[in-house]
Amino acid sequence: MKIRPSSKLVLLALTFLFDPGFAYADAAVWDARFIDPHPLPDDLKLPLPCGGAMVFRPVDVPDGKGILDDVDMTIGRPDTQEGYNQYTLRTHLAAAFPVQGHPELHRYYIGKYDVTVNQYAALNGSCAAPSRAGQKPQTGISWDEANAYAAGLTTWLVENKAPLPVAGEGKGFLRLPVDEEWSYAARGGMRVQASEFEAPLWPMPDGGPAAYIAAGPDIGEMQAVGQMKPNPLGLYDMLGNAGQMMLDPYRLNRVGRLQGKVGGLLIRGGDFHANPDELTTNVRAERPPYNEKTGKPMRDPAIGFRLVIGASALGSLKETEDAEKDFKTLLDEAQATPGDAWAALKALKAEAGSDPAMAGKLSRIETALTTDARARIDADKKVLGAQLQALAVLANAVWEINHVIDTITQAKMKLVNLTPQQAQKIETHLAERQKSLNAAIESYLGLLGAAASSPAIKELDGIAVAGQDMLRSQNEDYLSGMLDLSQKNLATLHAGKKVTAQDILGEVKNIPAQ
């Protein structure tokens, strides 16, 4: 029987959704090279039918303890070239799954590789043996078919009791990533510095872009997944090889915010045809979801997909109650912000009485003021976090300079028969180092005073915990003691007590070398 093309999607979805147990128990386990060519200890591996598997990487997000907390991030490029598409955009992200021992962190999971031909075929019931050719990304499918695959695999995993991550009382499910999830993961998340996160490319220390991006005439064709080097989160082929479909649609940039018109398919990462010099984590492309001539779903041989594991935003009655409570707290905090505007608004509301037209206008003004106040509070917290990190770096500079002074002084005491010129040279060098030490301490004290007056100082403990998480993620644990000291000094200064240069030097000296 000949199947009409318009019926293929329906049959595909029926196969994925209603035949979850086919050929699972008797299938041979795939060779590791067809599952994960580059295994890591913290990979999450989920089974597939026919003995296959799919590997995901954890992506930690410092989004806070509250159910309405999130992290704000800046993506896009600061120049105006192709600004309607790639200009700087401030957005927000939170994740669903807890991180054991770190209530201030949550995580989501994203595919370590694009979904391959082998993995896609594993869900169609044939149980064909995986092949080297099947290690290329599965391309040439529609957005609807990618979503049907995610739905079918979720059903199969649940019915086969696979170890899906749990958020609250609900299990995770598979879907395409949204733009914010892809951008955060592609840029390196918590594994990179803030300046590196906002750069057009993640750090590429081992061979530069040519070793990380599968694109350009030297590549020439689609290649198997995992051939290039990974990004800092251990993700492969985030740029080049196959374009990646997003769950959310394409939208234009209206000078720093998304424009209201909803467009076609959003494709991230570029593909092997692209000029590698032009591929960055900012690149976004729009594709029509349907062929304009035939009306059939768009299927592009250079566009594939990878999956994420997400969860419901509210997975239980308790989370719903927590959301309601947290919203009220955030709202009250915003509306408690002192200022002439709030006083004037309160007076106008009293004068308006029962006039519905005036009450409506004032209500809109109140909403705008509340939103703006909430944004300022969140911005204050971000600034204080950056100040705390900078204080830790300055404290470390004090430690290092003082250590050099002590080392030179001790060495000088052991030297004999120094000429006057040699002794003078050492003294000059020590004087220069002492000047640098004094400047570093003064810089620390100046920044300490500014940070202690932050409106977000009452959130210091939580901000400090997030800072420690960031240091661990970036393998900068040696700054942990310095951050603790900076937190302590901030609390002391905020309590109205003095912190002197002698205090700083004495406390820094007591921090052991890392």
Side-chain angles (χ1 to χ4, degrees):
M1 178 179 70
K2 192 171 183 179
I3 300 175
R4 294 184 318 180
S6 60
S7 302
K8 288 182 179 178
L9 176 60
V10 175
L11 290 176
L12 179 70
L14 288 173
T15 300
F16 287 172
L17 291 173
F18 299 113
D19 191 12
F22 53 76
Y24 175 61
D26 298 328
V29 176
W30 290 5
D31 187 286
R33 70 181 186 276
F34 297 126
I35 297 173
D36 187 7
H38 310 285
L40 292 171
D42 57 342
D43 286 335
L44 174 64
K45 185 186 295 184
L46 294 179
L48 291 176
C50 308
M54 186 177 293
V55 179
F56 295 81
R57 295 290 300 147
V59 183
D60 290 350
V61 182
D63 52 8
K65 298 179 181 179
I67 194 167
L68 293 183
D69 289 345
D70 57 19
V71 61
D72 76 282
M73 59 181 185
T74 301
I75 58 177
R77 54 192 293 176
D79 62 85
T80 56
Q81 183 178 349
E82 207 175 321
Y84 65 89
N85 182 39
Q86 297 185 29
Y87 190 62
T88 298
L89 181 71
R90 184 181 175 189
T91 186
H92 300 83
L93 180 67
F97 303 110
V99 178
Q100 187 174 6
H102 294 279
E104 73 286 352
L105 296 178
H106 294 84
R107 67 175 41 151
Y108 61 98
Y109 295 87
I110 189 168
K112 188 173 183 176
Y113 312 95
D114 293 335
V115 174
T116 66
V117 173
N118 287 326
Q119 291 170 329
Y120 193 79
L123 214 61
N124 68 14
S126 67
C127 265
S131 65
R132 291 182 64 183
Q135 283 303 97
K136 292 184 178 181
Q138 175 65 59
T139 60
I141 65 169
S142 71
W143 183 84
D144 297 300
E145 288 165 337
N147 281 291
Y149 178 85
L153 183 51
T154 298
T155 299
W156 186 89
L157 289 167
V158 171
E159 295 202 4
N160 283 275
K161 297 180 172 54
L164 282 164
V166 175
E169 298 177 11
K171 285 185 178 180
F173 51 81
L174 280 73
R175 56 170 171 78
L176 295 177
V178 297
D179 195 15
E180 290 84 358
E181 290 170 331
W182 188 93
S183 295
Y184 184 81
R187 292 166 177 268
M190 290 180 66
R191 298 289 180 90
V192 297
Q193 302 282 350
S195 59
E196 295 170 334
F197 183 88
E198 295 182 7
L201 294 172
W202 65 80
M204 298 179 175
D206 192 6
Y212 293 79
I213 302 175
D218 292 340
I219 299 296
E221 63 178 359
M222 192 81 66
Q223 62 182 21
V225 299
Q227 300 301 300
M228 311 304 284
K229 295 184 182 298
N231 83 344
L233 282 169
L235 301 172
Y236 289 82
D237 305 315
M238 291 300 279
L239 295 178
N241 213 26
Q244 299 167 54
M245 292 185 278
M246 298 293 105
L247 183 63
D248 42 342
Y250 177 89
R251 294 172 70 178
L252 296 166
N253 188 308
R254 192 182 187 276
V255 192
R257 70 166 174 84
L258 292 178
Q259 194 258 354
K261 181 166 53 180
V262 177
L265 303 183
L266 173 58
I267 311 299
R268 299 303 309 271
D271 60 60
F272 69 93
H273 294 107
N275 180 345
D277 294 334
E278 297 176 356
L279 273 187
T280 72
T281 55
N282 301 320
V283 169
R284 307 163 74 249
E286 181 183 26
R287 294 289 183 271
Y290 300 98
N291 185 297
E292 295 178 0
K293 293 182 179 180
T294 66
K296 296 177 182 178
M298 186 280 293
R299 296 180 177 89
D300 191 314
I303 294 177
F305 68 108
R306 72 178 68 211
L307 296 177
V308 300
I309 308 174
S312 298
L314 297 173
S316 66
L317 176 60
K318 181 183 182 304
E319 289 184 338
T320 303
E321 292 171 346
D322 288 345
E324 186 173 1
K325 182 174 67 175
D326 284 7
F327 181 83
K328 186 178 185 308
T329 299
L330 292 169
L331 182 68
D332 291 345
E333 186 179 26
Q335 293 184 341
T337 304
D340 294 339
W342 284 107
L345 179 64
K346 191 174 292 186
L348 286 170
K349 288 177 74 175
E351 291 178 14
S354 58
D355 182 349
M358 180 60 73
K361 292 177 182 179
L362 293 176
S363 179
R364 288 191 289 274
I365 294 172
E366 183 177 29
T367 298
L369 284 173
T370 301
T371 302
D372 183 61
R374 184 67 252 171
R376 286 200 305 273
I377 291 169
D378 291 341
D380 289 338
K381 289 171 64 176
K382 185 174 183 179
V383 169
L384 182 57
Q387 290 173 322
L388 186 60
Q389 296 278 348
L391 283 168
V393 172
L394 282 170
N396 190 64
V398 171
W399 188 94
E400 289 181 344
I401 297 169
N402 184 72
H403 180 68
V404 170
I405 292 173
D406 286 346
T407 301
I408 294 174
T409 301
Q410 292 171 15
K412 178 188 173 186
M413 293 174 62
K414 295 178 182 178
L415 293 173
V416 294
N417 300 324
L418 285 174
T419 66
Q421 292 83 359
Q422 290 172 328
Q424 182 59 45
K425 190 173 182 180
I426 293 174
E427 289 298 329
T428 300
H429 187 63
L430 282 172
E432 291 172 351
R433 291 287 182 172
Q434 187 63 48
K435 184 183 291 187
S436 297
L437 178 63
N438 293 340
I441 293 174
E442 286 303 312
S443 296
Y444 181 92
L445 287 170
L447 182 56
L448 191 71
S453 62
S454 168
I457 194 69
K458 61 185 178 182
E459 305 284 347
L460 177 61
D461 290 348
I463 291 170
V465 170
Q468 295 287 7
D469 291 333
M470 195 68 72
L471 293 179
R472 280 190 293 272
S473 296
Q474 297 169 0
N475 295 318
E476 294 183 335
D477 304 66
Y478 66 93
L479 289 174
S480 178
M482 303 302 176
L483 194 141
D484 284 340
L485 173 61
S486 302
Q487 179 187 2
K488 174 189 170 186
N489 291 156
L490 275 174
T492 298
L493 204 60
H494 181 67
K497 300 177 183 178
K498 286 186 177 181
V499 178
T500 67
Q502 290 76 18
D503 295 332
I504 300 301
L505 186 57
E507 290 176 312
V508 164
K509 283 182 177 180
N510 291 329
I511 297 176
Q514 298 292 320

